[in-house]
Amino acid sequence: MAHDRIVALDGPMNFRDVGGYQNAAGKTVKWNKIYRSDSLSSLTAKDQVKLAKLRVTVDCDLRSEYEKSSSPDNPWPEVEYVDLPIYSDGISDRQDNRVYRFLHHIPNLQNNFIGRIYQQTLLSSHSQEMFARVFAELLELPADEALVYHCSAGKDRTGMVSALILMALGIDDDTIARDYLLTNELYDFAVSRQLPSNDEITQMVSKMNVTKGEGIAIRGITETVRGGWGGFPTFFTKVLGFSAEDLAQLQRMYLE
């Protein structure tokens, strides 16, 4: 059965399925279960009906209070809204960052400006709590329902959450980077409002060079998790507060 990574909506331009990526064990991320998006404030009535039909029942909003108040999400039938602002004010996290850098082998991303921002977010105790709550929502999601998480453009905060979810499911760094870069490609289509076909998406992803430019930015997440904790399983248990069984359950739920 063919699946479209891009969910064509009248409002959001960057609503897409996280499914279809394969890990080294030959398992594939399930389609129609986890979605990522830009702002959902522009959803039309037709879009709302479509999301309800897709059984998207959890909406994790990663934006700040100002963003939410100025452009609130348009809810659709039977959706649960979850307020999860990824960025903190930074005040309560400064000591945490110093402690982490002292205790862990945090990579130095000197030549990766955006990656450093992602790294600082990952080391924030506030952001860690928000990341953990996304995973908690995924672990509690019924088998016949789906979840979406989003920020304003669907790139930075959404990209960080996507990287962690895909790491949890064993997806390699290059694939994670290509998924991250897809946002840039989609916004190239924004002026004409003509979304690329699924074949065009596949070709774009396969041609992306993730060794240059913004492709290295998301490694602020993947390399920090690997360098600081030796891999995602330890980060998931020691930092996010889950068990090894929770990770195994997550993989059973979202891989096939």
Side-chain angles (χ1 to χ4, degrees):
M1 178 180 177
H3 294 274
D4 290 330
R5 183 162 304 284
I6 308 304
V7 179
L9 298 173
D10 294 330
M13 283 294 299
N14 195 11
F15 195 109
R16 63 187 199 256
D17 200 319
V18 179
Y21 295 123
Q22 190 174 78
N23 65 22
K27 298 284 189 178
T28 301
V29 181
K30 290 182 179 179
W31 292 97
N32 309 318
K33 289 292 295 179
I34 308 174
Y35 297 95
R36 54 176 293 171
S37 183
D38 51 335
S39 175
L40 299 179
S41 62
S42 61
L43 289 171
T44 65
K46 181 180 175 182
D47 293 338
Q48 292 167 318
V49 170
K50 187 165 189 174
L51 295 188
K53 288 182 177 179
L54 288 173
R55 298 289 291 143
V56 181
T57 60
V58 179
D59 168 17
C60 294
D61 192 340
L62 311 179
R63 299 175 300 163
S64 68
E65 187 61 39
Y66 173 77
E67 291 170 292
K68 292 191 292 279
S69 61
S70 61
S71 300
D73 284 2
N74 286 336
W76 54 96
E78 299 183 27
V79 68
E80 174 194 2
Y81 177 83
V82 185
D83 184 12
L84 300 177
I86 291 294
Y87 293 146
S88 73
D89 59 16
I91 296 174
S92 61
D93 298 316
R94 293 173 185 168
Q95 183 63 36
D96 291 337
N97 288 345
R98 289 199 296 269
V99 171
Y100 272 121
R101 289 185 181 280
F102 177 75
L103 294 176
H104 301 280
H105 300 288
I106 303 301
N108 185 348
L109 304 177
Q110 183 175 358
N111 299 318
N112 186 351
F113 175 73
I114 299 176
R116 291 204 309 272
I117 294 174
Y118 295 169
Q119 183 181 81
Q120 290 297 319
T121 303
L122 187 69
L123 299 180
S124 154
S125 58
H126 168 87
S127 301
Q128 290 166 2
E129 180 183 351
M130 299 300 105
F131 293 139
R133 288 180 60 190
V134 173
F135 280 108
E137 292 290 340
L138 287 171
L139 284 166
E140 295 171 2
L141 192 70
D144 61 343
E145 298 179 13
L147 173 149
V148 63
Y149 52 90
H150 76 93
C151 54
S152 290
K155 181 182 179 184
D156 296 309
R157 289 160 289 187
T158 300
M160 286 186 273
V161 171
S162 294
L164 291 175
I165 291 173
L166 292 174
M167 287 189 82
L169 300 177
I171 305 304
D172 66 90
D173 287 9
D174 281 354
T175 300
I176 291 171
R178 291 186 178 99
D179 180 76
Y180 167 81
L181 285 172
L182 188 52
T183 291
N184 293 344
E185 302 296 329
L186 288 178
Y187 276 99
D188 286 344
F189 288 81
V191 175
S192 66
R193 297 292 297 182
Q194 182 66 45
L195 286 172
S197 68
N198 199 49
D199 285 343
E200 288 171 323
I201 288 294
T202 300
Q203 291 172 11
M204 284 192 292
V205 170
S206 66
K207 290 179 181 178
M208 285 177 190
N209 183 346
V210 299
T211 64
K212 297 191 295 185
E214 288 186 279
I216 65 171
I218 201 61
R219 295 180 186 271
I221 296 292
T222 57
E223 291 182 5
T224 298
V225 168
R226 194 166 291 109
W229 292 274
F232 186 85
T234 302
F235 177 80
F236 192 66
T237 56
K238 299 298 185 183
V239 178
L240 300 188
F242 294 96
S243 68
E245 174 54 31
D246 289 329
L247 182 56
Q249 174 66 15
L250 188 82
Q251 293 169 349
R252 286 193 294 267
M253 292 174 67
Y254 295 102
L255 290 171
E256 59 186 3

